[in-house]
Amino acid sequence: MIYGCPGSGKTYLCASILNFWHEKFGDDYGIAGGIYYVEENQLFSKIKDAYSSDQNEENIVHMLKTQKYLIFDDLGSDKTKEWNQSIFLDIIDSRLDPECATVITTNYFPKEIETWEPHGKRIFSRLFAKENTLVEHNMFDRREPMSQMAFPVIET
């Protein structure tokens, strides 16, 4: 679990992890039992699109449950929907197996996640359990516009 301010490099760190897994395990991206990266917004858009296509929600969720290595980026980007929280809980519950490596990023701090309604306490309990590794990645916003950054004034 990697959490911290927006723009601090959490997704960049995940790209490094993904590259490491790729070098170590090969080209198993998106194959059951392989390596998969998903952003929360993309996942829920894909599930909603499945309702009007030949795919279904269960196939998409099952695919995420069965990946050996999963990066779930930007948890909480749409935290207000009970439906999103329920699907996330379903995925994360199936990944409690120590054989499944899961990296999750979020802009929210632990106590903020705990307050999400209706499933915040359950999500908090799973993500911040003692057997999980937590990384507070709290640097400055690397994407902050240069015009808003504080620079020293050089007098001539």
Side-chain angles (χ1 to χ4, degrees):
M1 178 75 181
I2 305 168
Y3 62 95
C5 296
S8 62
K10 297 177 299 296
T11 299
Y12 184 82
L13 182 58
C14 284
S16 297
I17 294 168
L18 199 62
N19 286 336
F20 171 79
W21 285 344
H22 174 66
E23 288 175 13
K24 187 169 182 175
F25 304 111
D27 284 328
D28 280 341
Y29 291 102
I31 299 170
I35 303 167
Y36 202 82
Y37 168 90
V38 65
E39 289 179 359
E40 183 180 72
N41 284 335
Q42 291 175 342
L43 169 64
F44 293 118
S45 290
K46 193 173 195 175
I47 291 172
K48 289 173 188 172
D49 291 346
Y51 293 128
S52 60
S53 70
D54 59 347
Q55 288 189 321
N56 65 42
E57 173 186 327
E58 288 149 12
N59 289 344
I60 295 168
V61 171
H62 176 74
M63 187 263 307
L64 293 175
K65 288 177 174 183
T66 58
Q67 297 302 307
K68 181 100 172 150
Y69 303 94
L70 175 66
I71 294 179
F72 192 97
D73 195 15
D74 212 10
L75 171 67
S77 56
D78 199 0
K79 68 179 176 9
T80 57
K81 295 193 172 116
E82 179 178 354
W83 177 76
N84 294 24
Q85 290 182 21
S86 295
I87 290 172
F88 178 74
L89 275 170
D90 185 29
I91 293 166
I92 213 65
D93 279 346
S94 68
R95 300 193 60 79
L96 295 175
D97 180 345
E99 297 296 314
C100 296
T102 309
V103 176
I104 300 167
T105 71
T106 184
N107 293 332
Y108 293 91
F109 288 81
K111 290 298 180 185
E112 292 173 300
I113 293 172
E114 194 173 23
T115 65
W116 294 353
E117 291 297 332
H119 300 299
K121 290 188 186 316
R122 292 176 62 207
I123 292 170
F124 175 87
S125 172
R126 285 155 181 81
L127 296 183
F128 297 98
K130 65 181 176 188
E131 61 272 9
N132 294 339
T133 301
L134 307 177
V135 178
E136 183 177 346
H137 197 280
N138 217 7
M139 300 172 66
F140 62 92
D141 185 343
R142 296 164 35 104
R143 296 180 295 232
E144 185 175 327
M146 295 292 282
S147 63
Q148 295 178 11
M149 295 182 82
F151 291 101
V153 176
I154 301 173
E155 294 185 28
T156 56

